Amino acid sequence: MSLVIRNLRGGVAGTEILRGVDLEVAPGEVHALMGPNGSGKSTLSHVLMGREGYEATGGSVTVDGMEILGLETSRRAAAGLFLAMQYPIEVPGVRIADLLASSMRARGVDPSDLDAALATEAARLEVRDEFLTRGVNVEFSGGEQKRAETLQLAVLRPGYAVLDEIDSGLDVDALRDVARRVKAMTTENGLGVLAITHYSRLLTELTPDVVHVFMGGRIVTSGGPELADELEAGGYDGIAARLGIEVPGPVQTRADDPFADPGF
Ligand code: ADP
Ligand code: MG
């Protein structure tokens, strides 16, 4: 029982971005993945979830023993994997409840308790009613999107969640609410978390068991929470110097890159 990533290679549009990622998240554990812009963190999340255009070229990913590479995204979700995307997609005309009902059916879960669960979680996460009636993410602010993603996570109760910069765009109060809700799921539901983040501020609430530093498409070192403190103090350059490696620049897939991380 674990999310196990072994020597995962892959990328996008024929460019290799992931260069051998090894990672194992057990139920109830929180792993933080920290790395500079353009190092391939979001690419890892998309390759794990099987987003269109992203491809695994080697290695394996198993969810509680089941290989998920090559499966449709919905099958990966049914296997217990959830992704909160860095830039959530707007779905006009589809409410969160509609999206959740179809996700639950895909997982073989009866959605008849959905409304009650949604109301409970919306109150717990202070998601206002108007966000439940609008199209998913349509005219949501960055912070509202992240609360809504957390709401979906809490209702769906997957085995493992990849949270890609769930802290971006959140003010201090929202960050605390989201981090506490996720942390509670690790103890109440045994949720295993891979939290991708730039900032150690998320990690003061969502205390990680393991911190991984990710550069150039692979994990260069792993450690306890003190690794996040080292990063905060000395940056990626400091870690690289200690390891005797260079901080690789971002992979350039094309000169005018429309997918470059805007850095907010
Ligand atoms: P991070 O999340 O660590 O900032 P990303 O995974 O978003 O990094 O990006 C890694 C590299 O892959 C960057 O050079 C980025 O421009 C490129 N990339 C990511 N997604 C795409 C895509 N869909 N098409 C082309 N290039 C992409
Ligand atoms: Mg990213």
Side-chain angles (χ1 to χ4, degrees), residues 45 82-86 88 146 149-150 161-166:
S45 74
F82 176 96
L83 168 64
M85 283 191 282
Q86 182 174 6
K146 303 297 174 171
E149 295 270 303
T150 310
V162 179
L163 310 176
D164 193 359
E165 306 216 7
I166 193 121

Side-chain angles (χ1 to χ4, degrees), residues 27-109:
E29 285 182 351
V30 176
H31 290 239
L33 188 85
M34 307 180 79
N37 269 337
S39 56
K41 304 181 300 296
S42 293
T43 299
L44 172 64
S45 74
H46 293 312
V47 169
L48 288 176
M49 211 63 211
R51 187 176 188 177
E52 204 179 330
Y54 292 79
E55 198 192 6
T57 52
S60 83
V61 179
T62 56
V63 175
D64 296 338
M66 178 186 179
E67 178 65 53
I68 60 161
L69 291 184
L71 298 182
E72 298 270 330
T73 296
S74 62
R75 305 296 313 155
R76 301 183 195 209
L81 198 58
F82 176 96
L83 168 64
M85 283 191 282
Q86 182 174 6
Y87 303 111
I89 295 164
E90 291 187 14
V91 197
V94 177
R95 299 170 310 142
I96 287 178
D98 305 326
L99 191 69
L100 286 171
S102 68
S103 303
M104 289 168 91
R105 281 188 214 101
R107 286 160 204 249
V109 177

Side-chain angles (χ1 to χ4, degrees), residues 136-155:
V136 179
N137 292 319
V138 176
E139 287 169 32
F140 285 22
S141 72
E144 289 154 359
Q145 286 178 351
K146 303 297 174 171
R147 280 183 195 261
E149 295 270 303
T150 310
L151 172 71
Q152 293 169 53
L153 170 63
V155 172

